[in-house]
Amino acid sequence: ERVELPHPSPSTMFAVRSTPAVRVSAVAGRALGAKKFNPLAAHVARKAPVAKARFSVSANSGPPSADGSVDIYRDTPLRYMGYANEVGESFVAFLPVWGVPATYGVAALYVLADTLDKGKKAYDGEADEDQKVKRGAIVTLDTFTWQMLASVFWPGSFIRCVVNATSTALALGHIDGDIAKFIPTVVGLAAIPFIVKPIDNTIDTAMEMSVSKALNGKLEGPADAGIALGVIGACLVVPPTLFSVAAAIKDLAA
C-alpha cells in the first residue's frame, strides 16, 4: 500500500536552518548596516522639547515637520547654546570668576527663547479658540521646567562634581602645573555625552509623574498629588545637593 506523505508548505520548503554560522552572519550584517547610537546627538535632540515624544503636552512633538520647516532651536547651530553651562563648568580653570555664571546665563537665554517658541507654536496650533491660552500656557510651563532641569541644572551640577573630583585627585597626587588644569577640563567635556541619556530619562519619568500629569489634569486624588509634589521636589533638590557635594570635594584639596 502506498503511503501518501504530506506535502511540505512553501515556507517549509524554502526555510533555512538556523545554524550558529548563519546567526553570526545575520548579526554581523545588522551591525554593519545599523546606525550607531550617539549619546551626544541624543543630547542635541533633547535640548529641544519637540523631541519629547511621550509628553502629551509638548508642542510639535515627534520628528521634524513634514513640510520641511526648520526649528531654529533644534535644526541650526543655535541649539549648541544649550551646552554653554556644561562647557563652562568644564573650563572653570581657564575662566574668570564671572565666567561660569555667564555660561549659565547663556544657557538660560536659550531655554527662555525655546520655551517661548514652543508656547507660541502650541497657542497657534490649537484649533479651539477657547483653549488657545490654556494650551500655550501648559506647553510653556512644561517646556521651561523640563529644560531647566534636564538641560541646565542637573547636567551642570554633575559636571561640576566630575571636574572637582578630578582636580582634587590630581592635587592629592601632587600633580600640578598646566596638566592639572587641562585634565579636569578634558574629563569634564568627555563626561557630557555619558550623563545625557540617564538625566534625560530620569527627568522624563519625573515629569510624567508630576508636572506634566498635573498640567494635563490627570492627578487622581490627594495621594497622587502628594506623589507628584514629592517627585518634583526631589528633582529640584538634586542640583543644589550636587553643588554642595562638589564644593566639599574641592575643599579636600585645600
Side-chain angles (χ1 to χ4, degrees):
E1 182 181 359
R2 187 172 62 179
V3 177
E4 293 287 344
L5 297 175
H7 292 286
S9 65
S11 60
T12 304
M13 291 173 62
F14 297 102
V16 178
R17 186 177 180 183
S18 178
T19 66
V22 171
R23 287 195 295 271
V24 170
S25 177
V27 171
R30 286 196 298 270
L32 290 173
K35 183 178 180 181
K36 291 184 179 180
F37 174 72
N38 184 341
L40 188 57
H43 191 42
V44 169
R46 258 340 207 178
K47 290 293 183 181
V50 293
K52 299 184 292 174
R54 294 202 302 263
F55 277 22
S56 59
V57 298
S58 293
N60 303 321
S61 63
S65 175
D67 62 7
S69 60
V70 175
D71 183 344
I72 64 171
Y73 299 101
R74 184 187 67 174
D75 303 324
T76 72
L78 188 62
R79 64 189 179 181
Y80 293 109
M81 284 180 62
Y83 290 97
N85 61 305
E86 289 123 296
V87 174
E89 290 286 357
S90 298
F91 278 94
V92 62
F94 299 93
L95 297 176
V97 175
W98 52 267
V100 174
T103 63
Y104 275 85
V106 172
L109 285 175
Y110 168 84
V111 168
L112 288 173
D114 189 46
T115 297
L116 293 175
D117 177 69
K118 297 307 176 289
K120 184 179 184 300
K121 286 181 178 178
Y123 177 89
D124 294 339
E126 177 57 57
D128 188 345
E129 290 291 333
D130 295 333
Q131 296 295 318
K132 278 183 172 292
V133 174
K134 180 180 179 181
R135 176 56 50 184
I138 286 176
V139 172
T140 297
L141 289 172
D142 176 69
T143 300
F144 180 77
T145 305
W146 191 94
Q147 286 277 37
M148 292 302 290
L149 289 172
S151 298
V152 180
F153 289 114
W154 272 49
S157 58
F158 271 99
I159 296 302
R160 183 175 297 186
C161 285
V162 170
V163 170
N164 284 4
T166 305
S167 297
T168 298
L170 292 172
L172 294 177
H174 304 291
I175 299 174
D176 52 15
D178 289 339
I179 193 171
K181 295 176 66 176
F182 279 104
I183 291 180
T185 298
V186 172
V187 172
L189 292 174
I192 294 174
F194 296 99
I195 68 172
V196 170
K197 190 174 181 180
I199 289 177
D200 286 351
N201 289 342
T202 301
I203 299 302
D204 277 348
T205 301
M207 289 286 289
E208 289 164 1
M209 294 174 63
S210 57
V211 176
S212 296
K213 197 171 187 179
L215 290 174
N216 283 302
K218 294 181 179 179
L219 293 177
E220 300 175 357
D224 207 17
I227 292 174
L229 186 61
V231 169
I232 193 60
C235 288
L236 294 173
V237 165
V238 168
T241 300
L242 288 178
F243 283 133
S244 297
V245 170
I249 293 173
K250 185 177 182 181
D251 290 341
L252 293 176

